[in-house]
């Protein structure tokens, strides 16, 4: 017996040491090929590595990116590495630190998944490569001339610094069983939402405005609550415009906060925690920017079966998310090849599949060949999925200056939460 | 020759610990004073500090940091004392050590997530105390976690720190000289009729305290500046200072980094203030304790102490049990709605998802941990040897022990961001090297702590005998010390491995995220929406350090084992 144990343990130890040394060796060869490729000494086209910095909190997104990695490795001999972030701004900080230290040519971040304010920050500090998107083979398929959303990120022109990757719009989802138990129908407007919260306190919340979904909720609320003043939101924010729309929002939130989850004392830092609390049953109603993540989360057991998705009658905020190329990437050509692949009908159709990720394609399907268009044909529906036949009133994102103004005003009124 | 080699090792050790910490701190002080050219700030000014102190809730943040830090350290220390007082003279103490050790190597982030599984309003205990008809989870603004006073954070930190303090104390108590002293004192105390609890507090604790003081202070600093636990369990209106600093550094508005740097400097102030208060408290206890020593009472709340000790032990056992159940159940759960105690069905889906994505992070974790831990052990061994061979003056040896603790005494948020800046200045593409150094900074102190105890335990008579037989210092080191201390060395190595495995912020910042490890993946998944995936990562994170410890426990049995030749 003892001999057996000993032999086994020795084997484990040897295996462990062997893996260690093998991995070290592998790392070394990687380093060597890498530096050769960078110096351009080698005549043969060596494998280049593209580092794609993207939020890593979703199994669906992660496994899609793993598929991308396999595809570009086979098709273009490019190593695609998904660097999983807990927060996209970590990557922005990283590029900034590199710029601060004068590392202008050999950055560690090549591609970055951004939109809205991270983009505005990177644009302001000139951390992105300009005018590269128009050279992509598949970019014209997004029909950018007809569809300005592909070249505008929250009212800011993208200047060819980032390529569109997917589309999103605000949907709500609820626990059927909970609402039946409470005998309240799912709220259809922002006013009915408050009514719901007041009748069953503690069952709704929204993330703090520094989170994208938190500020999205505030934008939806302020637009829905100021129905008669919609135009002001599509121009840069002004002091007087802000003053005219804020009172309705404050009146609403003052009533909502005390009946929210944990009486609004603690609010969520991140959108993903909203889904977690829906999964654990602490909340009965929540919202998301990606309709398809709901049925796919149900498929993965992260949300219970009685989840139903719908769109509010008073409108759904919609936008596009992008992939940016940093100014100091050392593998720009390979990075562009990757982005081109991401925009290809094949990759976009794969991404749109409910079972994969369910992220809506940015391609204009009418411009595709019939065979490419067929790739987008979806298999049957899901009880938790959004009913696509429902008529939806889409609300465009307000000008990006509004986000900051609303957020600052919110923090000033309700205190800083970290 | 060997002596000068070991002296070099000692200096190398000092450099590895001090250069990153001091350099990194400088890299934070400049932006705190308004100098950060990358965002166009080139004028020195006090503006960042002015903004910092004008921030709403800053006083509450500072108080929360102080309260959770001091409170948890005190609670953990008192708890450890009660446990020890209850069973320090029984054989049970060894079992206690073995049972609580896993808590030591369990990463903080994983511990916080695991606590959520059992203590949150939808967690195990809530499920236990509801009826089947309660399909709605009840939450209040003052329950676990996120309570406004930081009590959840305090409790979690104390739970995590107690085993460390306990093991440190046991390590000291088992040194031959100390053990002899303790048993002598204890006999005298017993013959004078003092109860075993009273003997512990009046005789044993004062004897061992000086040696566990520095680790205790490190725990205190760590608790005031920890990020993972308050991030997951803490309030956010406002949060502790360290969490706020983290958010300022990660803020979309890049000019917030000036504020973040000022906050990091303030964090050093808060941690120092906590140290100051602790030292003052120590003095008071010493003064009051003197009276206690001579007042002649033979018993010291004996029953209360024993009951506390037993209840703490019970709390640990209940938590360990329920956490193991909940975590494993979540990792294989299909649908599992509140308030059921059992998932509807089981699935390997979550494990598959993780297994498919873990190859690279796992090999990175093992390689990095192996390299870091092995080199730390070697470096520390040589440095300890140099102290034996060429003892330094009192002042120098004090400076040395402080610098060993420097990385634990300077809050991570206060130097890691500056360190990244420093690393970008020199050798910007050497990511592996930078990550290696960042890990060394945290691994070396613990390895040192662990090995220094073993060194002090070492019976010097063996060396004298070997030397009298004409063996050189190198021969004594290789043929006498290493084999005799193999067990201790392997334990230190395993501890180093565990510490390296659990590093989140240093790995992320120094590697720029290019070197994913199991811990970075785990924290990313904790920010995600799947409780089940987090559970899988918690299990992997908890079992990884075991690789090292299993090796450390079993290898000595058949390496340099005199019994083996006999059988």
């Amino acid at each position: 017996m003892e001999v057996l144990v000993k032999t086994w343990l020795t084997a484990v130890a040897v295996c462990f040491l062997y893996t260690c040394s093998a991995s070290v060796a592998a790392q070394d060869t990687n380093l060597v090929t890498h530096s050769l490729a960078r110096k351009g000494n080698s005549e043969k086209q060596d494998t280049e590595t593209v580092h794609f910095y993207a939020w890593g909190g979703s199994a669906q997104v992660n496994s899609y990116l793993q598929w991308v990695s396999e595809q570009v490795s086979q098709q273009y001999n490019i190593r695609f590495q998904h660097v999983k972030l807990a927060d996209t701004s970590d990557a922005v900080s990283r590029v900034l630190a590199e710029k601060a230290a004068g590392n202008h040519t050999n950055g560690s971040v090549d591609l970055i998944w951004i939109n809205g304010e991270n983009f505005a920050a990177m644009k302001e500090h000139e951390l992105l490569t300009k005018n590269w998107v128009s050279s992509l083979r598949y970019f014209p398929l997004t029909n950018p001339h007809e569809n300005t959303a592909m070249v505008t990120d929250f009212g800011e022109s993208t200047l060819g610094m980032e390529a569109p990757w997917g589309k999103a719009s605000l949907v709500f989802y609820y626990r059927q069983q909970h609402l039946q138990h409470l005998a309240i129908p799912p709220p259809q407007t922002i006013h009915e939402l408050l009514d719901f919260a007041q009748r069953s306190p503690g069952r709704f919340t929204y993330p703090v405005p520094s989170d994208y979904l938190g500020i999205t909720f505030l934008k939806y609320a302020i637009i829905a609550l100021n129905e008669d003043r919609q135009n002001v939101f599509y121009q840069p924010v002004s002091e007087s415009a802000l003053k005219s729309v804020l009172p309705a929002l404050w009146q609403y939130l003052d009533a909502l906060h005390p009946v929210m989850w944990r009486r609004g004392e603690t609010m969520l830092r991140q959108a993903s925690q909203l889904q977690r609390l829906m999964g654990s049953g602490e909340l009965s109603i929540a919202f998301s920017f990606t309709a398809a993540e709901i049925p796919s989360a149900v498929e993965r057991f992260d949300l219970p079966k009685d989840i139903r998705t719908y769109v509010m009658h008073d409108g759904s905020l919609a936008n596009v998310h992008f992939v940016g190329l940093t100014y100091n990437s050392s593998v720009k050509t390979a990075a562009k090849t990757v982005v081109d692949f991401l925009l290809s009908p094949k990759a976009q159709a794969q991404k749109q599949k409910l079972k994969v990720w369910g992220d809506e394609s940015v391609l204009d399907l009418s411009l595709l060949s019939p065979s490419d268009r067929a790739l987008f044909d979806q298999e049957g529906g899901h009880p938790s999925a959004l009913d696509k036949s429902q008529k939806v009133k889409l609300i465009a994102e307000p000008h990006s200056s509004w986000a900051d103004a609303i957020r600052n005003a919110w923090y000033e009124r309700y205190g800083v939460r970290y | 020759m060997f002596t000068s080699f070991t002296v070099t090792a000692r200096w190398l050790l000092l450099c590895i610990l001090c250069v990153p910490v001091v350099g990194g701190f400088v890299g934070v002080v400049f932006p705190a004073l308004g100098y950060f050219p990358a965002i166009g700030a080139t004028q020195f000014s006090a503006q960042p500090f002015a903004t910092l102190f004008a921030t709403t809730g800053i006083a509450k943040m500072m108080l929360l940091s102080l309260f959770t830090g001091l409170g948890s350290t005190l609670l953990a220390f008192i708890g450890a004392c009660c446990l020890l007082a209850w069973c320090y003279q029984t054989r049970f103490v060894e079992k206690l050590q073995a049972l609580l050790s896993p808590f030591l190597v369990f990463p903080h982030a994983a511990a916080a997530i695991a606590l959520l599984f059992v203590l949150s309003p939808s967690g195990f205990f809530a499920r236990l105390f509801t009826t089947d008809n309660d399909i709605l989870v009840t939450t209040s603004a003052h329950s676990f976690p996120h309570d406004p006073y930081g009590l959840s954070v305090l409790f979690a930190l104390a739970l995590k720190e107690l085993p460390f303090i306990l093991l440190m104390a046991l390590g000291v108590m088992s040194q031959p000289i100390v053990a002899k002293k303790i048993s002598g004192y204890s006999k005298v105390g017993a013959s004078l009729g003092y109860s075993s609890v009273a003997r512990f507090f009046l005789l044993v604790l004062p004897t061992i305290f000086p040696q566990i003081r520095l680790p205790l202070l490190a725990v205190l600093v760590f608790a005031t500046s920890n990020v993972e636990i308050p991030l997951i369990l803490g309030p956010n209106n406002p949060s502790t200072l360290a969490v706020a600093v983290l958010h300022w550094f990660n803020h979309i508005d890049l000019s917030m980094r000036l504020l973040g740097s000022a906050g990091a400097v303030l964090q050093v102030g808060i941690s120092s203030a906590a140290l100051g208060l602790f030292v003052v408290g120590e003095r008071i206890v010493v003064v009051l304790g003197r009276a206690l020593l001579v007042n002649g009472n033979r018993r010291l709340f004996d029953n209360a102490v024993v009951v506390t000790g037993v209840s703490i032990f019970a709390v640990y056992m209940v938590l360990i049990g329920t956490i193991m159940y909940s975590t494993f159940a979540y990792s294989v759960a299909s649908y599992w709605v509140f308030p059921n105690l059992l998932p509807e069905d089981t699935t390997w889906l979550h494990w598959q998802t993780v297994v498919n994505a873990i190859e690279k992070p796992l090999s990175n974790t093992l390689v990095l941990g192996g390299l870091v831990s092995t080199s730390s052990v070697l470096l520390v061994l040589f440095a300890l040897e140099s102290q034996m061979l060429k003892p330094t003056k009192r002042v120098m040896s004090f400076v040395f022990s402080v610098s060993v603790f420097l990385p634990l005494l300077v809050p991570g948020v206060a130097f890691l961001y500056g360190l990244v800046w420093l690393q970008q200045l020199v050798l910007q593409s050497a990511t592996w090297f930078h990550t290696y150094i960042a890990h060394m900074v945290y691994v070396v102190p613990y390895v040192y702590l662990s090995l220094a105890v073993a060194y002090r335990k070492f019976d010097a008579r063996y060396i004298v005998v070997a030397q009298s037989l004409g063996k050189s210092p190198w021969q004594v080191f290789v043929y006498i010390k290493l084999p005799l201390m193999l067990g201790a060395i392997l334990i230190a190595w395993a501890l180093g491995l565990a510490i390296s495995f659990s590093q989140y912020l240093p790995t992320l910042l120094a590697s720029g995220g290019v070197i994913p490890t199991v811990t970075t993946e785990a924290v990313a998944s904790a920010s995600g929406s799947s409780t089940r995936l987090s559970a899988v990562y918690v299990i992997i994170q908890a079992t990884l350090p075991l690789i090292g410890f299993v090796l450390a426990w079993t290898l000595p049995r058949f390496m340099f084992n005199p019994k083996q030749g006999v059988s």
Side-chain angles (χ1 to χ4, degrees):
Chain A
M1 184 58 200
E2 199 175 347
V3 176
L4 259 180
V5 173
K6 276 179 196 170
T7 328
W8 181 78
L9 280 168
T10 324
V12 171
V14 168
C15 286
F16 176 65
L17 291 175
Y18 176 73
T19 358
C20 285
S21 56
S23 317
V24 172
Q27 289 297 340
D28 283 344
T29 28
N30 281 340
L31 283 179
V32 173
T33 46
H34 211 65
S35 58
L36 280 179
R38 290 207 169 176
K39 281 182 193 146
N41 285 345
S42 138
E43 286 186 10
K44 205 174 112 242
Q45 183 65 47
D46 277 305
T47 313
E48 282 188 300
T49 303
V50 174
H51 294 109
F52 185 81
Y53 280 59
W55 180 62
S58 151
Q60 291 92 310
V61 178
N62 294 351
S63 61
Y64 174 69
L65 287 175
Q66 214 166 345
W67 175 83
V68 169
S69 169
E70 285 152 21
Q71 293 289 320
V72 294
S73 159
Q74 280 167 19
Q75 292 185 25
Y76 309 104
N77 192 25
I78 291 172
R79 273 192 61 211
F80 174 91
Q81 191 181 348
H82 173 200
V83 178
K84 291 178 187 137
L85 298 169
D87 194 329
T88 304
S89 57
D90 289 346
V92 181
S93 309
R94 177 79 194 176
V95 183
L96 186 79
E98 289 174 352
K99 193 180 180 189
N103 176 359
H104 299 306
T105 51
N106 202 8
S108 51
V109 184
D110 299 312
L111 293 173
I112 174 168
W113 180 20
I114 42 172
N115 76 340
E117 289 169 80
N118 279 316
F119 170 67
M122 291 193 87
K123 186 181 176 185
E124 187 193 329
H125 293 277
E126 303 195 328
L127 301 178
L128 292 171
T129 302
K130 284 182 193 161
N131 293 324
W132 58 278
V133 176
S134 52
S135 68
L136 296 176
R137 193 172 134 214
Y138 292 114
F139 179 63
L141 292 183
T142 65
N143 203 358
H145 297 294
E146 296 286 315
N147 189 358
T148 51
M150 298 300 150
V151 289
T152 328
D153 191 346
F154 286 60
E156 292 251 7
S157 165
T158 60
L159 301 180
M161 291 182 196
E162 47 175 16
W165 191 27
K167 277 198 291 199
S169 69
L170 190 66
V171 296
F172 279 71
Y173 58 104
Y174 63 93
R175 287 286 300 274
Q176 216 174 22
Q177 199 193 7
H178 283 192
L179 265 59
Q180 273 163 10
H181 183 84
L182 293 162
I184 310 175
Q188 300 292 341
T189 64
I190 190 88
H191 296 287
E192 285 181 27
L193 183 65
L194 177 61
D195 187 47
F196 166 82
Q198 282 169 337
R199 283 167 65 190
S200 61
R203 317 218 55 85
F204 173 79
T205 190
Y206 65 96
V208 289
S210 54
D211 174 78
Y212 78 97
L213 205 56
I215 189 70
T216 298
F217 176 76
L218 291 181
K219 283 191 275 189
Y220 156 66
I222 201 169
I223 293 174
L225 291 166
N226 287 284
E227 252 180 313
D228 46 335
R229 298 195 191 82
Q230 301 280 305
N231 297 335
V232 298
F233 296 109
Y234 300 97
Q235 288 144 23
V237 67
S238 71
E239 198 61 38
S240 62
L242 193 63
K243 264 195 187 140
S244 70
V245 293
L246 281 180
L249 182 67
W250 296 156
Q251 196 197 344
Y252 184 83
L253 295 181
D254 285 350
L256 180 67
H257 285 182
V259 290
M260 285 202 319
W261 179 73
R262 289 181 179 274
R263 289 184 218 146
E265 287 278 330
T266 295
M267 285 173 63
L268 301 173
R269 292 191 181 93
Q270 278 185 314
S272 52
Q273 292 172 318
L274 208 53
Q275 192 186 313
R276 234 173 224 257
L277 289 179
M278 282 298 284
S280 71
E282 288 190 39
L283 300 178
S284 299
I285 182 160
F287 50 93
S288 159
F289 229 140
T290 340
E293 84 177 7
I294 317 294
S296 91
V298 174
E299 284 290 300
R300 297 188 57 86
F301 314 108
D302 286 324
L303 286 174
K305 279 174 284 190
D306 61 330
I307 289 278
R308 296 293 175 265
T309 313
Y310 70 105
V311 178
M312 288 281 205
H313 283 337
D314 51 1
S316 165
L317 209 65
N319 73 28
V320 176
H321 52 94
F322 295 84
V323 177
L325 175 59
T326 58
Y327 85 103
N328 63 353
S329 162
S330 60
V331 288
K332 285 185 183 164
T333 318
K336 285 179 199 171
T337 312
V338 168
V339 177
D340 225 348
F341 174 75
L342 291 176
L343 276 175
S344 66
K346 183 183 173 189
Q348 288 275 314
Q350 176 77 7
K351 180 160 67 77
Q352 193 170 315
K353 281 184 192 155
L354 270 186
K355 285 214 170 115
V356 178
W357 175 359
D359 191 42
E360 195 124 342
S361 170
V362 287
L363 301 182
D364 185 336
L365 297 191
S366 66
L367 298 182
L368 299 186
S369 67
S371 62
D372 279 345
R373 210 176 307 149
L375 293 173
F376 288 86
D377 289 339
Q378 290 273 0
E379 64 287 11
H382 189 282
S384 298
L386 182 68
D387 176 10
K388 288 265 165 88
S389 65
Q390 193 189 354
K391 222 178 161 175
V392 179
K393 180 181 157 197
L394 286 180
I395 310 173
E397 281 284 350
H399 185 269
S400 72
S401 57
W402 276 91
D404 258 344
I406 297 172
R407 182 184 302 112
N408 291 340
W410 189 95
Y411 277 126
E412 207 171 294
R413 187 171 178 90
Y414 297 112
V416 189
R417 292 157 202 247
Y418 303 99
Chain B
M1 178 57 194
F2 180 61
T3 313
S4 61
F5 172 71
T6 58
V7 171
T8 321
R10 191 194 321 181
W11 284 108
L12 189 62
L13 187 91
L14 269 189
C15 288
I16 285 183
L17 293 176
C18 299
V19 172
V21 180
V22 174
F25 184 59
V26 170
V28 162
V29 168
F30 276 106
L33 294 172
Y35 183 80
F36 194 30
I39 56 168
T42 51
Q43 293 274 311
F44 283 97
S45 79
Q47 193 54 45
F49 281 101
T51 324
L52 178 68
F53 287 111
T55 308
T56 8
I58 185 77
K60 208 172 160 202
M61 283 181 218
M62 292 160 65
L63 278 177
L64 261 178
S65 293
L66 263 184
F67 174 64
T68 54
L70 272 173
S72 62
T73 311
L74 277 183
L75 196 64
F77 177 61
I78 295 170
C81 287
C82 289
L83 273 174
L84 279 175
W86 163 44
C87 63
Y88 74 111
Q89 281 183 320
T90 61
R91 294 203 58 104
F92 184 67
V93 84
E94 281 157 32
K95 253 189 206 138
L96 188 71
Q97 191 169 0
L99 281 170
L100 294 189
S101 297
F103 253 80
L104 182 67
V105 295
F106 208 39
H108 282 82
I113 299 170
L115 281 177
L116 273 183
F117 287 161
V118 292
L119 294 179
S120 71
S122 56
F124 183 82
F125 288 108
R127 285 167 190 260
L128 206 57
F129 297 112
T130 42
T131 59
D132 282 352
N133 296 330
D134 296 331
I135 61 160
L136 297 177
V137 183
T138 36
T139 52
S140 84
H142 293 272
S143 60
F144 184 95
H146 315 302
D147 65 284
Y149 307 106
L151 292 172
S152 317
V153 178
L154 194 153
F155 173 66
L157 280 169
L159 215 56
K160 192 68 188 65
E161 301 314 347
L162 189 149
F164 178 71
I165 297 172
L166 189 83
L167 295 182
M168 279 293 145
L170 284 174
V172 173
M173 284 163 79
S174 65
Q175 291 167 28
I177 306 170
V178 181
K180 221 169 153 188
K181 250 192 201 172
I182 292 175
S183 80
Y185 288 172
S186 194
K187 269 180 201 145
V188 175
S191 62
L192 289 172
Y194 281 88
S195 74
S196 127
V197 169
R199 292 198 307 268
F200 177 80
F201 281 104
L202 300 179
L203 301 169
V204 177
L205 191 57
T207 318
I208 60 167
F209 188 76
Q211 283 200 59
I212 56 167
R213 191 165 175 260
L214 216 44
L216 208 54
L217 295 182
V219 165
L220 179 60
V221 172
F222 181 85
T224 50
S225 63
N226 180 253
V227 169
E228 287 106 326
I229 288 187
L231 198 61
I232 298 171
L233 303 176
N236 64 2
N237 185 24
S239 61
T240 63
L241 183 64
V243 172
V245 169
L246 182 76
H247 281 266
W248 289 329
F249 270 113
N250 292 337
H251 203 280
I252 303 162
D253 177 2
L254 298 172
S255 64
M256 296 289 270
R257 318 198 104 222
L258 299 181
L259 181 63
S261 304
V265 174
L266 179 63
Q267 179 65 59
V268 175
I270 293 290
S271 299
S272 315
L275 290 180
L277 285 171
F278 191 86
V279 172
V280 170
E282 225 178 353
R283 291 279 142 239
I284 297 173
V285 171
V286 167
V287 172
L288 294 178
R290 278 204 188 114
L292 205 65
L293 271 179
V294 293
N295 72 357
N297 281 350
R298 279 3 186 207
R299 299 171 70 81
L300 278 180
F301 312 109
D302 284 21
N303 293 335
V305 168
V306 170
V307 168
T308 316
V310 174
S311 358
I312 291 173
F313 179 71
V315 165
Y316 270 95
M317 289 306 111
V318 169
L319 277 180
I320 290 173
T322 49
I323 281 177
M324 276 170 70
Y325 168 73
S326 305
T327 312
F328 182 72
Y330 262 120
S331 80
V332 294
S334 67
Y335 298 109
W336 191 9
V337 291
F338 187 82
N340 299 347
L341 278 174
L342 276 172
E344 224 169 86
D345 201 357
T346 56
T347 166
W348 291 106
L349 177 75
H350 321 300
W351 279 95
Q352 272 164 9
T353 310
V354 173
V355 166
N356 286 340
I358 203 149
E359 190 193 332
K360 189 86 195 155
L362 191 64
S363 69
N364 282 342
T365 308
L366 292 178
V367 170
L368 201 58
L371 282 176
V372 168
S373 191
T374 309
S375 46
S376 304
V377 167
L378 288 176
L379 208 56
V380 168
L381 273 176
F382 290 134
L384 285 168
E385 190 63 18
S386 96
Q387 266 173 335
M388 289 278 187
L389 295 174
K390 212 178 169 196
T392 40
K393 293 204 188 80
R394 248 187 94 90
V395 184
M396 256 319 281
S397 97
F398 176 73
V399 169
F400 185 75
S401 52
V402 167
S403 55
V404 164
F405 276 95
L406 194 64
L408 307 183
L409 292 175
V410 179
V413 285
F415 72 87
L416 283 171
Y417 288 95
L419 183 60
V420 172
W421 172 77
L422 196 71
Q423 292 178 334
Q424 283 297 310
L425 227 50
V426 281
L427 291 169
Q428 33 180 252
S429 53
T431 7
W432 271 87
F433 175 71
H434 290 320
T435 317
Y436 168 78
I437 292 292
H439 275 221
M440 284 293 274
V441 166
Y442 282 99
V443 170
V444 164
Y446 288 102
V447 170
Y448 185 88
L449 275 177
S450 166
L451 276 179
V453 171
Y455 245 81
R456 282 192 212 109
K457 274 196 218 169
F458 194 79
D459 194 334
R461 284 173 299 186
Y462 288 116
I463 303 168
V464 177
V465 171
Q467 276 169 343
S468 69
L469 290 171
K471 298 290 174 196
S472 70
W474 168 249
Q475 284 170 321
V476 173
F477 180 70
V478 174
Y479 296 112
I480 312 285
K481 282 194 179 168
L482 289 190
L484 279 172
M485 296 207 305
L486 183 73
I489 291 173
L490 285 173
I491 291 281
W493 180 77
L495 183 68
L497 214 54
I499 302 283
S500 164
F501 288 166
S502 68
Q503 296 303 316
Y504 170 65
L505 211 51
T507 316
L508 185 75
L509 290 178
S511 77
V514 177
I515 305 178
T517 64
V518 172
T519 296
T520 61
E521 299 281 303
V523 177
S525 101
S527 82
S529 45
S530 176
T531 313
R532 288 156 174 80
L533 281 187
S534 297
V536 177
Y537 276 109
V538 166
I539 294 177
I540 295 178
Q541 274 200 296
T543 42
L544 260 188
L546 279 180
I547 302 175
F549 282 100
V550 167
L551 286 179
W553 288 326
T554 49
L555 281 182
R557 276 197 214 149
F558 51 101
M559 277 171 80
F560 307 116
N561 186 351
K563 280 184 206 148
Q564 208 180 23
V566 182
S567 71

